[in-house]
Structures are given as structure tokens and as C-alpha cells.
Amino acid sequence: MLKHILFLLFAVLFTRVDAAIADIDPSTKEYIRKTFYAGVENEEKAEELKEYIDKKFGKKLKSMDPFVVAYLGGAETLLAKHAINPFTKLDLLNSGLDKLAYALKKQPRSLEIRFMRFSILHFIPAILGHAKERDEDLAIVYELLLKKDYSELDKKTQTGLVKFLLESDRLDKNQTAKLRPLLK
């Protein structure tokens, strides 16, 4: 009898946690996104985002929504960009990329998370050995953009993604020709 009660209690607790994780309000998502993009050029904003996520969502990745894990990882990669010490830089980059990989295991077809990792990997030196992940992300982002599904990211945002891909010079001529019409 006690085993059944404990099982039911754990089931209820974990169901509530999962439901809470899935419900990130739009204003929180918007704040996270804006702070992340501000952090590209502003180290304080990258630190602010990391601290915000730590305070609001805790530090246990397993209890976080993949969106939050991805942006936490993204914030760490931005902190790596701003770091002066090469060892700190590499540690933060690897930690951030690990979090992005974790988020992608949870949501492998997320256009937003895939694009975030692709855009980060696009700018890091090839010697660090992430070309496979970068190329995989590029292929999936390309495929998802062609579907014109605006349920995760609106058309304006996706148009920005298309522009980035075209400017990245990582697409072949055929891919470029197929994506260009999405700018209209």
C-alpha cells in the first residue's frame, strides 16, 4: 500500500514539474531572447542572462525546458567570446556547447535551438573540431526553413535566419536558390 502511495505521489509531482517546464510565458521567452542577442556585444548582458536563468529556473538541467537550457548554453558561449583567459574561454565554450547538445537531444527539430548552435559554430575556428555538428545544424535549419512552419518562430524571425544563412556562404548554389525566395 505504501509503495502505491509513494508511486502516485511521485507521479503527481513529476507530472506537475513537466507541465510547469513546458509553460514558459511569452514575456520570459522574449526577455531571454533579447538579453541573449544583447550579450553578443555586451558581456554584462551575457552574464545577466546566465544569472537570470540560474535564479528563475535553477541549475538542474533535467528540470529545465530545452529552450532555457539552450539559452543558458548560448549565454556561456557568449561569455567565452568575451573572456580573455584562453582556458576560461575554452571551458565556457565547451560547457555552453554541451548544454546546447543536451537541449537538442530533447528537441532535435527545434529551428531556434538548431540555428543558435549553428550560428555559434559558424564563428568558432575549425581547429576546435565542431564542423560535423555545424554542418548537421545547417542541413536541418535549411530543411526546416523550407517547410515555412511559423509555429515556433514567426516569419520575420525566419526571414532573418534566411539572411544569415545566405550571408554565411555555407550553402551551395542550389540551396541558395531555394532559400532566396523566402526573403520575399
Side-chain angles (χ1 to χ4, degrees):
M1 178 76 168
L2 183 59
K3 287 181 184 178
H4 290 79
I5 292 171
L6 287 174
F7 175 77
L8 289 173
L9 179 62
F10 279 101
V12 169
L13 288 174
F14 286 117
T15 302
R16 286 189 182 159
V17 167
D18 290 344
I21 289 171
D23 295 331
I24 300 173
D25 66 273
S27 64
T28 298
K29 280 188 169 187
E30 190 62 25
Y31 173 78
I32 288 172
R33 287 175 179 131
K34 284 184 178 183
T35 308
F36 173 79
Y37 287 106
V40 171
E41 298 302 327
N42 183 328
E43 182 178 5
E44 289 79 25
K45 286 293 185 180
E47 187 62 46
E48 177 184 324
L49 177 58
K50 186 176 181 313
E51 288 173 10
Y52 173 81
I53 290 173
D54 285 345
K55 286 178 185 172
K56 185 165 179 84
F57 299 98
K59 294 189 180 205
K60 293 184 180 179
L61 295 184
K62 291 181 181 178
S63 65
M64 286 185 204
D65 184 281
F67 171 89
V68 176
V69 174
Y71 276 93
L72 177 59
E76 287 181 359
T77 66
L78 292 179
L79 291 170
K81 173 189 173 194
H82 298 298
I84 295 170
N85 181 310
F87 296 108
T88 301
K89 194 178 273 290
L90 190 58
D91 284 346
L92 285 166
L93 176 66
N94 287 332
S95 177
L97 290 176
D98 286 347
K99 287 175 178 68
L100 281 159
Y102 179 83
L104 284 169
K105 281 184 183 178
K106 299 291 183 182
Q107 289 186 343
R109 305 290 294 171
S110 168
L111 176 58
E112 185 168 12
I113 298 171
R114 282 279 173 192
F115 179 78
M116 182 190 301
R117 187 171 77 168
F118 167 76
S119 65
I120 292 163
L121 294 176
H122 170 71
F123 288 109
I124 67 170
I127 195 167
L128 294 177
H130 294 284
K132 179 182 173 193
E133 293 97 333
R134 183 198 62 223
D135 294 345
E136 177 185 299
D137 291 343
L138 176 61
I140 293 172
V141 167
Y142 171 78
E143 174 193 331
L144 292 171
L145 286 170
L146 288 178
K147 288 185 177 185
K148 300 179 189 178
D149 177 356
Y150 304 112
S151 60
E152 182 181 8
L153 294 173
D154 62 28
K155 185 174 180 160
K156 180 180 175 186
T157 303
Q158 288 193 35
T159 300
L161 303 187
V162 170
K163 286 179 185 176
F164 184 92
L165 289 185
L166 293 173
E167 292 171 7
S168 76
D169 290 329
R170 294 201 183 269
L171 299 170
D172 63 34
K173 288 180 182 182
N174 184 40
Q175 291 172 315
T176 298
K178 285 183 179 179
L179 271 189
R180 243 182 236 297
L182 297 180
L183 293 177
K184 297 177 184 176

